[in-house]
Amino acid sequence: AQSVSQHNHHVILSEAASLELGCNYSYGGTVNLFWYVQYPGQHLQLLLKYFSGDPLVKGIKGFEAEFIKSKFSFNLRKPSVQWSDTAEYFCAVNVPNFGNEKLTFGTGTRLTIIP
Amino acid sequence: DGGITQSPKYLFRKEGQNVTLSCEQNLNHDAMYWYRQDPGQGLRLIYYSQIVNDFQKGDIAEGYSVSREKKESFPLTVTSAQKNPTAFYLCASSPRGRAGENIQYFGAGTRLSVL
Protein backbone atom coordinates (compact mmCIF):
# COMPACT_ATOMS: atom_id res chain seq x y z
CA ALA A 1 0.00 0.00 0.00
CA GLN A 2 1.15 3.50 -0.72
CA SER A 3 2.15 5.92 2.03
CA VAL A 4 2.87 9.65 2.12
CA SER A 5 5.44 11.41 4.31
CA GLN A 6 5.43 15.06 5.21
CA HIS A 7 8.48 15.64 7.37
CA ASN A 8 7.78 19.28 8.25
CA HIS A 9 5.15 19.21 10.98
CA HIS A 10 5.10 22.93 11.76
CA VAL A 11 6.78 25.65 9.72
CA ILE A 12 6.96 29.27 10.82
CA LEU A 13 7.96 31.96 8.33
CA SER A 14 7.88 35.71 8.04
CA GLU A 15 5.91 37.38 5.29
CA ALA A 16 7.74 37.54 1.94
CA ALA A 17 9.90 34.52 2.80
CA SER A 18 10.09 31.65 0.33
CA LEU A 19 8.34 28.41 1.14
CA GLU A 20 9.06 24.79 0.37
CA LEU A 21 7.09 21.98 2.00
CA GLY A 22 8.30 18.45 1.50
CA CYS A 23 6.20 15.49 0.37
CA ASN A 24 7.47 12.00 -0.39
CA TYR A 25 5.45 8.94 -1.33
CA SER A 26 6.29 5.26 -1.29
CA TYR A 27 4.70 3.75 -4.40
CA GLY A 28 6.95 2.83 -7.36
CA GLY A 29 4.40 2.89 -10.16
CA THR A 30 2.17 5.49 -11.72
CA VAL A 31 0.64 7.89 -9.23
CA ASN A 32 -1.53 10.97 -9.17
CA LEU A 33 -0.51 13.62 -6.66
CA PHE A 34 -2.38 16.36 -4.85
CA TRP A 35 -1.89 19.16 -2.38
CA TYR A 36 -4.87 20.21 -0.29
CA VAL A 37 -5.06 23.19 2.05
CA GLN A 38 -7.18 23.82 5.13
CA TYR A 39 -7.39 27.50 6.06
CA PRO A 40 -8.53 28.27 9.61
CA GLY A 41 -12.29 27.72 9.85
CA GLN A 42 -12.65 26.73 6.21
CA HIS A 43 -13.24 23.54 4.23
CA LEU A 44 -10.31 21.47 3.05
CA GLN A 45 -9.79 22.44 -0.58
CA LEU A 46 -7.64 21.46 -3.54
CA LEU A 47 -4.52 23.59 -4.01
CA LEU A 48 -3.05 21.81 -7.02
CA LYS A 49 -2.74 18.40 -8.67
CA TYR A 50 -0.47 16.38 -10.94
CA PHE A 51 -1.81 13.67 -13.22
CA SER A 52 0.65 13.63 -16.14
CA GLY A 53 2.65 15.89 -18.44
CA ASP A 54 4.72 18.84 -17.25
CA PRO A 55 6.08 17.88 -13.81
CA LEU A 56 5.91 21.50 -12.65
CA VAL A 57 2.29 22.28 -11.85
CA LYS A 58 0.77 25.56 -10.79
CA GLY A 59 -2.14 25.97 -8.44
CA ILE A 60 -4.17 28.68 -6.81
CA LYS A 61 -2.76 31.65 -4.92
CA GLY A 62 0.70 31.46 -6.52
CA PHE A 63 1.57 27.97 -5.30
CA GLU A 64 3.41 25.46 -7.44
CA ALA A 65 4.71 21.92 -6.99
CA GLU A 66 7.29 19.84 -8.79
CA PHE A 67 6.96 16.11 -9.35
CA ILE A 68 10.37 14.42 -9.28
CA LYS A 69 9.78 10.76 -10.08
CA SER A 70 13.33 9.64 -9.26
CA LYS A 71 13.00 11.09 -5.76
CA PHE A 72 9.36 10.04 -5.21
CA SER A 73 8.72 13.66 -4.27
CA PHE A 74 6.09 16.31 -4.87
CA ASN A 75 7.26 19.37 -2.95
CA LEU A 76 5.11 22.46 -2.64
CA ARG A 77 6.65 25.90 -3.22
CA LYS A 78 5.77 29.56 -3.11
CA PRO A 79 8.35 32.28 -3.76
CA SER A 80 6.89 34.84 -1.35
CA VAL A 81 4.36 33.91 1.34
CA GLN A 82 1.64 36.12 2.75
CA TRP A 83 -0.01 36.17 6.16
CA SER A 84 -3.13 34.72 4.50
CA ASP A 85 -1.19 31.54 3.64
CA THR A 86 -1.39 30.50 7.28
CA ALA A 87 -3.08 27.11 7.08
CA GLU A 88 -2.53 23.38 7.25
CA TYR A 89 -1.26 21.73 4.07
CA PHE A 90 -1.79 18.09 3.14
CA CYS A 91 -0.10 16.09 0.42
CA ALA A 92 -2.05 13.14 -0.99
CA VAL A 93 -1.44 10.34 -3.47
CA ASN A 94 -3.73 8.15 -5.53
CA VAL A 95 -2.77 5.01 -7.41
CA PRO A 96 -4.96 4.70 -10.51
CA ASN A 97 -6.86 1.47 -10.06
CA PHE A 98 -10.10 1.11 -11.91
CA GLY A 99 -13.01 0.80 -9.54
CA ASN A 100 -11.03 1.29 -6.37
CA GLU A 101 -10.21 4.96 -6.10
CA LYS A 102 -9.04 6.43 -2.85
CA LEU A 103 -6.56 9.02 -1.65
CA THR A 104 -3.83 8.45 0.91
CA PHE A 105 -2.99 11.63 2.84
CA GLY A 106 0.15 12.68 4.63
CA THR A 107 0.07 13.84 8.24
CA GLY A 108 -0.02 17.50 7.23
CA THR A 109 2.21 20.54 7.74
CA ARG A 110 0.97 23.47 9.77
CA LEU A 111 2.23 26.73 8.26
CA THR A 112 2.27 29.88 10.35
CA ILE A 113 3.14 33.19 8.68
CA ILE A 114 4.26 36.02 10.94
CA PRO A 115 3.30 39.48 9.67
CA ASP B 1 -25.88 26.45 -3.72
CA GLY B 2 -23.91 23.31 -4.51
CA GLY B 3 -21.78 21.59 -1.97
CA ILE B 4 -21.41 19.08 0.80
CA THR B 5 -23.35 19.56 4.02
CA GLN B 6 -22.28 17.87 7.21
CA SER B 7 -24.38 17.96 10.34
CA PRO B 8 -24.25 18.51 13.18
CA LYS B 9 -21.20 20.76 13.48
CA TYR B 10 -20.59 19.57 17.05
CA LEU B 11 -21.71 16.29 18.57
CA PHE B 12 -21.32 14.77 22.00
CA ARG B 13 -21.45 11.05 22.70
CA LYS B 14 -22.07 9.32 25.97
CA GLU B 15 -20.35 6.07 26.84
CA GLY B 16 -22.00 3.09 25.13
CA GLN B 17 -23.99 5.26 22.75
CA ASN B 18 -24.14 5.07 18.97
CA VAL B 19 -24.21 8.39 17.13
CA THR B 20 -24.81 9.15 13.46
CA LEU B 21 -23.10 11.88 11.48
CA SER B 22 -24.91 13.17 8.42
CA CYS B 23 -23.35 13.92 5.04
CA GLU B 24 -25.39 15.18 2.09
CA GLN B 25 -24.13 16.36 -1.30
CA ASN B 26 -25.95 18.03 -4.18
CA LEU B 27 -23.03 17.88 -6.59
CA ASN B 28 -24.31 14.72 -8.30
CA HIS B 29 -21.03 13.00 -7.42
CA ASP B 30 -20.82 9.22 -7.58
CA ALA B 31 -18.23 8.62 -4.88
CA MET B 32 -18.35 9.62 -1.23
CA TYR B 33 -15.84 9.24 1.58
CA TRP B 34 -15.51 9.53 5.34
CA TYR B 35 -12.25 10.56 7.00
CA ARG B 36 -11.15 11.01 10.56
CA GLN B 37 -8.73 13.87 11.32
CA ASP B 38 -6.63 13.80 14.48
CA PRO B 39 -3.87 16.30 15.33
CA GLY B 40 -0.57 15.19 13.85
CA GLN B 41 -2.10 12.21 12.03
CA GLY B 42 -3.58 13.80 8.95
CA LEU B 43 -6.69 12.34 7.36
CA ARG B 44 -7.37 8.64 7.69
CA LEU B 45 -9.97 6.94 5.54
CA ILE B 46 -12.82 5.24 7.39
CA TYR B 47 -15.19 4.13 4.63
CA TYR B 48 -15.86 5.00 1.02
CA SER B 49 -18.53 4.33 -1.55
CA GLN B 50 -18.20 4.40 -5.32
CA ILE B 51 -21.88 3.80 -6.10
CA VAL B 52 -25.23 3.53 -4.38
CA ASN B 53 -25.74 0.40 -2.24
CA ASP B 54 -22.04 -0.38 -2.23
CA PHE B 55 -19.22 0.68 0.09
CA GLN B 56 -15.74 -0.46 1.13
CA LYS B 57 -13.76 -0.31 4.35
CA GLY B 58 -10.95 2.15 4.54
CA ASP B 59 -7.90 1.99 6.76
CA ILE B 60 -9.65 2.46 10.12
CA ALA B 61 -13.18 1.04 9.72
CA GLU B 62 -13.41 -0.76 13.06
CA GLY B 63 -16.12 0.71 15.28
CA TYR B 64 -17.83 2.53 12.41
CA SER B 65 -20.63 1.69 10.00
CA VAL B 66 -22.10 3.39 6.92
CA SER B 67 -24.93 3.09 4.44
CA ARG B 68 -25.40 4.40 0.91
CA GLU B 69 -29.07 4.12 0.08
CA LYS B 70 -29.17 7.33 -1.96
CA LYS B 71 -26.58 8.90 -4.22
CA GLU B 72 -26.62 12.17 -2.29
CA SER B 73 -26.38 10.75 1.23
CA PHE B 74 -23.65 8.83 3.08
CA PRO B 75 -24.27 8.78 6.86
CA LEU B 76 -21.61 7.51 9.26
CA THR B 77 -22.48 5.80 12.53
CA VAL B 78 -19.91 5.80 15.29
CA THR B 79 -20.74 2.75 17.36
CA SER B 80 -20.03 2.00 21.00
CA ALA B 81 -17.28 -0.35 19.76
CA GLN B 82 -15.19 2.68 18.76
CA LYS B 83 -13.25 3.26 21.96
CA ASN B 84 -11.61 6.52 20.99
CA PRO B 85 -14.18 8.42 18.95
CA THR B 86 -13.12 11.96 19.83
CA ALA B 87 -11.96 13.49 16.53
CA PHE B 88 -12.87 15.75 13.66
CA TYR B 89 -14.80 13.87 10.96
CA LEU B 90 -14.73 14.96 7.35
CA CYS B 91 -16.98 13.85 4.53
CA ALA B 92 -15.94 14.20 0.89
CA SER B 93 -17.30 13.43 -2.55
CA SER B 94 -15.81 13.13 -6.00
CA PRO B 95 -17.19 12.92 -9.52
CA ARG B 96 -16.67 9.94 -11.79
CA GLY B 97 -13.61 10.62 -13.88
CA ARG B 98 -10.66 8.89 -15.42
CA ALA B 99 -8.98 6.41 -13.14
CA GLY B 100 -7.01 8.11 -10.41
CA GLU B 101 -8.16 11.61 -11.26
CA ASN B 102 -9.92 11.64 -7.93
CA ILE B 103 -10.47 15.27 -7.00
CA GLN B 104 -12.34 15.27 -3.73
CA TYR B 105 -14.54 18.03 -2.37
CA PHE B 106 -14.93 18.32 1.37
CA GLY B 107 -17.60 19.32 3.83
CA ALA B 108 -17.05 21.58 6.84
CA GLY B 109 -16.71 18.66 9.24
CA THR B 110 -18.27 17.40 12.46
CA ARG B 111 -16.38 17.57 15.73
CA LEU B 112 -17.27 14.62 17.95
CA SER B 113 -16.47 14.57 21.64
CA VAL B 114 -17.10 12.02 24.35
CA LEU B 115 -18.87 13.12 27.54
Side-chain angles (χ1 to χ4, degrees), chain A residues 32 36 38 43 94 100-101, chain B residues 37 48 50 100-101 104 106:
Chain A
N32 293 323
Y36 279 83
Q38 191 172 36
H43 298 205
N94 170 268
N100 191 23
E101 309 293 343
Chain B
Q37 186 177 9
Y48 63 108
Q50 302 285 329
E101 295 186 4
Q104 296 187 13
F106 286 83

Side-chain angles (χ1 to χ4, degrees), chain A:
Chain A
Q2 64 270 24
S3 65
V4 179
S5 298
Q6 292 182 248
H7 302 294
N8 312 110
H9 298 295
H10 188 192
V11 173
I12 302 173
L13 294 172
S14 298
E15 275 192 310
S18 64
L19 169 71
E20 182 161 2
L21 301 182
C23 173
N24 289 90
Y25 62 93
S26 64
Y27 187 75
T30 300
V31 293
N32 293 323
L33 296 157
F34 306 81
W35 276 97
Y36 279 83
V37 60
Q38 191 172 36
Y39 296 104
Q42 294 189 28
H43 298 205
L44 195 68
Q45 61 185 285
L46 182 69
L47 194 58
L48 49 76
K49 63 188 186 299
Y50 172 79
F51 293 157
S52 64
D54 188 344
L56 183 63
V57 292
K58 297 191 185 298
I60 60 172
K61 304 188 179 186
F63 285 90
E64 64 179 32
E66 186 175 12
F67 170 52
I68 302 179
K69 190 173 182 179
S70 61
K71 294 185 178 180
F72 300 92
S73 70
F74 189 55
N75 291 355
L76 182 70
R77 301 195 293 245
K78 186 171 184 179
S80 176
V81 294
Q82 301 172 305
W83 177 78
S84 59
D85 294 325
T86 294
E88 189 151 19
Y89 293 80
F90 295 92
C91 183
V93 64
N94 170 268
V95 176
N97 180 0
F98 290 100
N100 191 23
E101 309 293 343
K102 57 180 184 177
L103 290 178
T104 299
F105 284 85
T107 53
T109 297
R110 185 155 61 101
L111 176 65
T112 302
I113 305 301
I114 302 170

Side-chain angles (χ1 to χ4, degrees), chain B residues 86-102:
Chain B
T86 297
F88 189 53
Y89 290 86
L90 286 169
C91 179
S93 69
S94 66
R96 182 184 298 276
R98 291 191 292 180
E101 295 186 4
N102 184 349

